[in-house]
Amino acid sequence: MAKNSYKAEDIKILEGLDAVRMRPGMYIGTTSVKGLHHILWEIVDNAVDEAANGYADHIEIKLYKDGSASVEDNGRGIPTDIHSKAGVSGVQVVFTQLHAGGKFGSDNYNYSGGLHGVGASVTNALSKWLKVEVYKNTVYEIEFHSYLDKESGKVKSGIPKYPLKDTKVKTKKKGTFVHFMPDDTVFETVEFNPETILKRIKELAFLNKGLEITFYDEKTDYHQTYKYDGGIVDFVKYLNEGKSTLYGEPIYAKAEKDNILVEFAIQHTDSYVDSVYSYVNNIPTAEGGMHETGFRSGLTRSFNDYARSRNFLKDKDDNLLGEDFKEGLTAIVSVKMQNVQFEGQTKTKLGNPEARPAVEWVTVSEINELVKNKKLGKVFDAIINKALSSAKARLAAKKAKDIARASKSIEAQNLVGKLASCSGRKPELNELFIVEGDSAGGSAKSARSRQFQAILPIRGKILNVEKKKLDYILQNEEIRTIISALGTGIGPEFDLSGLRFHKVVILSDADVDGSHIRILLLTFFFRYMKELINQGHVYIGMPPLYLVKKGKIKEYAYNDKQLEKVIEKVGKGYEIQRYKGLGEMDPEQLWETTLDPERRSMMQVTIEDAAEADRLITVLMGEEVSARKQYIFDHADFNREDSFANRKRS
Ligand code: TSJ
């Protein structure tokens, strides 16, 4: 049907008004003050539709001293000709037939329907009286009222006092004027709230670019006018007033897809929360729904595309998430579509599944178009940078949370089965030896002083897979046992006061595997128990490399240089034993050389040592095995003068 061929016949007749008076709740939800406003919005919506279709640009809402309200627009006027099936004027049909107004079956009211879609007849049915004037060269007039029907003893409402009449009074005005008195026997209150009205008409003015809406309250002589030539762009600016924005002008686009008209405006602020407001047919969708979901995923997709194309994201980087783009996002999404379905707790969630791909498609294609505009380069760069910093914070927060969780669960597991604990109950005197290998562990267990020395044997070869570092380290059985044994927790949960051993001694072999273990442990302490190192609780045990024997003389040497000196000292006829590992020492030897506080040699680990180990682990975990091995030899050789192990002793 062509747009201007609309006639009274097009208005379909569905139901009578008695039903509305009988059960107002069915039609307006409630008879509270909310329902009262609802019958006003039914009228306003029709005028807004006339404006949305391009036939009106002004609406006036007025509250009168007697409690009545009126709405006037400067549109084409409700059809005044006789509706062929109803036999009465189009105006009369609109106000006496439920669902009339062309919302069903007409293309004129393209996007009507939804929350307020029950029609002007509902307002008529719930009013004491209602008067309509239509201005088309002359003034047309009709009045409806309610009265007690003597025959049935029931109140009838919305009854025309006379058919629509042409008063023949000439007018230059165009449009429709509707004036009504809410029925105080229906509503709990019949007092309109100017604040409520102002808030809504301001919103309507934002949503309908260029539409001027005025409000006048006769009781207080209060006037207000809203008109926004920027539409939802002005809405976004208004929402961001007083905030600091990342770029000057909001991003705006409008396009149609599959009969769904989509319009959005966005502007980011330096805030950390988002203010996204979505609408369907001018109705706020507080619970969001399909259109909002489509919009958000559209933004995420197109911004990620942009971030990749401009190298903000490299191939290896994960996409930024919707939540990253949410930070500081102020946006209005307004869609216009037919047959809307509302869902959710408060029926403010758009349920139409077709809205989602349509809005996503429009969002992506419009943003992709906008990014071609060089002038907007700075805008999109700012958005991406903000999202990148949000992602960074998100990952840091997740890591902290993971650590805290891991720490708690590990503590709860009480994994100290392998620990040979000591009997002393004073942590400041107690020592924990973390010993590489079960056989060395066994020797250490029999060699130690049970009173204050605890032994925790751990297996070698624990650094053989490249994995995510944190996950990897925390999944390691040995590490978990250590966390459990030390009693301090890790990361943000670390608490030094829980420490059960004031000396924590790493005791590993002077070979590659021993270095592996030492480096892993130091890295772990560095990252998750830094204070343990800072407070001087971490040591590297120093087993000897050689035993020089000559008769009854026994001398240990801890490196090649010492060995030379010892040989010089004892003279000819000596015998050298080279220890390949801790496991080769019997308990007595282990006690003499490594465990006995009077004779042992230990290196206290500094934070610089641990930091170096942390850097090392990157190499150790890398792909190239031979480079890795070489690096370890270079850096962990006990015989090198500048090596880690020889640098200082305690
Ligand atoms: F709600 C209401 F019906 F009471 C009401 C309707 C109240 C107010 C203040 C305005 C209106 C209204 C209706 N304003 N403009 C219109 N337009 C039409 O009803 C109309 C006019 C002409 C044609 C056509 O195709 O020629 C079609 C329509 C829907």
Side-chain angles (χ1 to χ4, degrees):
M1 185 197 297
K3 234 186 183 166
N4 284 317
S5 67
Y6 187 100
K7 291 284 173 295
E9 287 84 32
D10 298 326
I11 301 164
K12 292 199 178 148
I13 298 162
L14 296 172
E15 250 186 294
L17 288 194
D18 284 349
V20 182
R21 268 231 37 130
M22 296 275 287
R23 310 169 80 179
M26 285 276 287
Y27 297 87
I28 57 167
T30 166
T31 54
S32 69
V33 67
K34 214 175 157 203
L36 174 74
H37 285 95
H38 196 144
I39 64 165
L40 172 64
W41 302 131
E42 283 299 336
I43 303 301
V44 173
D45 283 356
N46 281 279
V48 170
D49 278 337
E50 185 73 354
N53 287 325
Y55 301 108
D57 62 6
H58 182 84
I59 296 172
E60 180 170 287
I61 294 165
K62 192 169 162 185
L63 297 183
Y64 298 78
K65 283 185 180 152
D66 64 2
S68 61
S70 73
V71 181
E72 180 174 344
D73 72 13
N74 63 347
R76 292 166 297 176
I78 304 174
T80 50
D81 56 324
I82 301 295
H83 188 277
S84 66
K85 283 184 203 121
V88 296
S89 67
V91 178
Q92 187 169 329
V93 172
V94 164
F95 285 94
T96 55
Q97 306 292 339
L98 267 176
H99 283 153
K103 292 186 182 189
F104 296 79
S106 166
D107 285 330
N108 284 294
Y109 272 174
N110 261 333
Y111 302 115
S112 291
L115 195 66
H116 307 127
V118 288
S121 58
V122 169
T123 305
N124 189 26
L126 301 177
S127 293
K128 280 240 146 65
W129 53 259
L130 185 145
K131 190 177 174 186
V132 185
E133 287 175 9
V134 174
Y135 312 116
K136 281 188 227 188
N137 303 315
T138 59
V139 179
Y140 294 80
E141 189 182 280
I142 186 168
E143 277 180 76
F144 306 88
H145 68 142
S146 75
Y147 63 93
L148 183 66
D149 180 39
K150 297 245 171 68
E151 222 172 278
S152 66
K154 281 181 184 159
V155 175
K156 298 239 173 207
S157 70
I159 308 298
K161 281 187 167 174
Y162 49 85
L164 182 76
K165 71 174 175 222
D166 183 352
T167 64
K168 302 285 161 91
V169 176
K170 290 243 179 307
T171 180
K172 287 205 165 106
K173 283 210 282 192
K174 294 254 175 267
T176 307
F177 169 83
V178 177
H179 187 187
F180 65 98
M181 176 67 83
D183 189 336
D184 61 0
T185 65
V186 171
F187 294 101
E188 291 160 30
T189 169
V190 285
E191 208 172 325
F192 287 105
N193 182 348
E195 306 274 311
T196 306
I197 294 170
L198 286 167
K199 187 169 179 273
R200 175 63 179 155
I201 63 173
K202 184 169 185 165
E203 185 175 53
L204 283 169
F206 277 130
L207 291 168
N208 295 276
K209 194 184 306 196
L211 172 60
E212 182 176 75
I213 310 180
T214 61
F215 172 75
Y216 177 60
D217 187 349
E218 209 180 48
K219 279 185 230 168
T220 55
D221 199 32
Y222 176 85
H223 291 265
Q224 182 63 267
T225 300
Y226 298 115
K227 180 175 188 279
Y228 299 102
D229 290 323
I232 60 172
V233 165
D234 287 344
F235 200 166
V236 163
K237 285 182 182 170
Y238 165 74
L239 292 170
N240 281 347
E241 253 169 41
K243 292 183 188 160
S244 98
T245 56
L246 297 196
Y247 41 93
E249 278 295 303
I251 298 167
Y252 171 81
K254 181 177 182 176
E256 197 177 308
K257 169 81 175 162
D258 300 335
N259 272 324
I260 297 175
L261 183 69
V262 184
E263 194 184 9
F264 63 83
I266 50 190
Q267 188 181 37
H268 288 77
T269 69
D270 62 0
S271 142
Y272 295 101
V273 292
D274 71 329
S275 319
V276 173
Y277 299 98
S278 60
Y279 295 85
V280 178
N281 303 344
N282 293 330
I283 301 157
T285 37
E287 294 173 281
M290 292 300 174
H291 56 333
E292 203 177 306
T293 306
F295 173 65
R296 287 183 190 275
S297 45
L299 282 188
T300 305
R301 221 173 85 196
S302 52
F303 287 157
N304 266 306
D305 289 350
Y306 179 81
R308 268 188 210 288
S309 73
R310 306 293 144 108
N311 264 327
F312 284 98
L313 290 178
K314 308 278 181 307
D315 288 348
K316 64 173 168 51
D317 294 330
D318 286 335
N319 265 354
L320 292 158
L321 304 182
E323 59 185 279
D324 300 328
F325 291 111
K326 243 168 105 161
E327 271 195 8
L329 170 70
T330 302
I332 299 292
V333 194
S334 174
V335 312
K336 305 270 173 73
M337 62 185 289
Q338 279 172 321
N339 307 321
V340 294
Q341 287 145 26
F342 288 101
E343 295 176 347
Q345 288 279 298
T346 55
K347 292 269 178 275
T348 58
K349 184 176 182 182
L350 180 66
N352 300 57
E354 70 274 20
R356 186 182 170 161
V359 178
E360 179 167 347
W361 192 89
V362 167
T363 306
V364 170
S365 53
E366 291 300 308
I367 298 266
N368 286 352
E369 207 49 47
L370 288 169
V371 299
K372 291 181 189 160
N373 181 346
K374 286 225 163 60
K375 280 190 199 149
L376 291 177
K378 278 211 170 69
V379 169
F380 289 105
D381 289 359
I383 293 171
I384 304 303
N385 280 324
K386 169 103 180 166
L388 285 170
S389 85
S390 155
K392 213 167 154 188
R394 165 171 60 78
L395 292 172
K398 181 180 183 300
K399 195 173 164 191
K401 214 163 127 194
D402 287 352
I403 292 169
R405 195 177 297 144
S407 188
K408 286 237 166 64
S409 94
I410 289 164
E411 253 168 43
Q413 286 168 19
N414 197 27
L415 288 161
V416 290
K418 288 206 291 179
L419 176 76
S421 56
C422 54
S423 55
R425 288 286 158 256
K426 288 193 173 139
E428 49 296 2
L429 301 181
N430 290 349
E431 301 177 347
L432 175 68
F433 284 83
I434 302 169
V435 182
E436 175 193 358
D438 285 336
S439 73
S443 288
K445 278 181 194 173
S446 27
R448 66 176 173 145
S449 161
R450 276 170 192 279
Q451 171 64 23
F452 66 97
Q453 292 180 321
I455 308 293
L456 181 63
I458 60 172
R459 262 191 305 269
K461 289 279 179 194
I462 48 180
L463 263 184
N464 49 8
V465 209
E466 156 83 327
K467 272 192 190 159
K468 291 234 164 87
K469 286 173 201 169
L470 169 68
D471 295 1
Y472 173 60
I473 289 175
L474 292 184
Q475 271 165 32
N476 185 290
E477 191 68 29
E478 328 291 326
I479 292 286
R480 294 158 75 88
T481 309
I482 292 165
I483 295 170
S484 197
L486 289 182
T488 55
I490 58 170
E493 299 285 299
F494 182 83
D495 175 13
L496 193 64
S497 69
L499 185 62
R500 290 199 270 262
F501 308 93
H502 279 211
K503 284 198 173 75
V504 178
V505 187
I506 301 167
L507 203 55
S508 62
D509 292 335
D511 58 12
V512 171
D513 289 339
S515 296
H516 265 157
I517 288 171
R518 197 164 52 247
I519 289 164
L520 173 81
L521 291 175
L522 288 180
T523 298
F524 167 69
F525 289 140
F526 176 69
R527 290 205 195 153
Y528 303 110
M529 297 188 170
K530 209 164 254 170
E531 270 315 278
L532 200 65
I533 298 169
N534 278 333
Q535 298 303 314
H537 294 297
V538 182
Y539 297 83
I540 306 274
M542 303 289 293
L545 285 180
Y546 306 100
L547 170 61
V548 182
K549 273 200 272 195
K550 184 178 167 187
K552 277 196 174 163
I553 306 168
K554 275 199 299 181
E555 290 260 3
Y556 295 99
Y558 290 85
N559 57 44
D560 289 354
K561 227 182 198 151
Q562 274 190 357
L563 179 65
E564 276 170 38
K565 279 188 189 146
V566 171
I567 291 168
E568 230 167 76
K569 204 170 102 187
V570 299
K572 283 191 170 80
Y574 58 86
E575 211 181 289
I576 300 177
Q577 186 186 351
R578 192 183 199 287
Y579 294 116
K580 290 205 190 69
L582 291 163
E584 290 180 3
M585 269 184 263
D586 57 41
E588 201 192 308
Q589 287 174 323
L590 198 58
W591 168 253
E592 293 176 350
T593 60
T594 316
L595 298 183
D596 180 5
E598 301 297 324
R599 283 175 284 180
R600 73 189 177 193
S601 173
M602 302 202 304
M603 188 184 83
Q604 193 172 33
V605 176
T606 67
I607 200 71
E608 290 78 24
D609 297 330
E612 176 60 22
D614 188 60
R615 279 189 292 279
L616 252 174
I617 207 148
T618 316
V619 179
L620 294 179
M621 295 247 194
E623 301 280 315
E624 236 244 275
V625 179
S626 62
R628 189 161 77 199
K629 287 241 156 114
Q630 189 55 50
Y631 199 94
I632 295 162
F633 274 118
D634 289 352
H635 288 78
D637 181 354
F638 276 62
N639 273 318
R640 275 172 55 128
E641 220 26 64
D642 64 338
S643 88
F644 184 43
N646 271 332
R647 208 155 18 77
K648 62 183 139 11
R649 301 242 159 126
S650 86

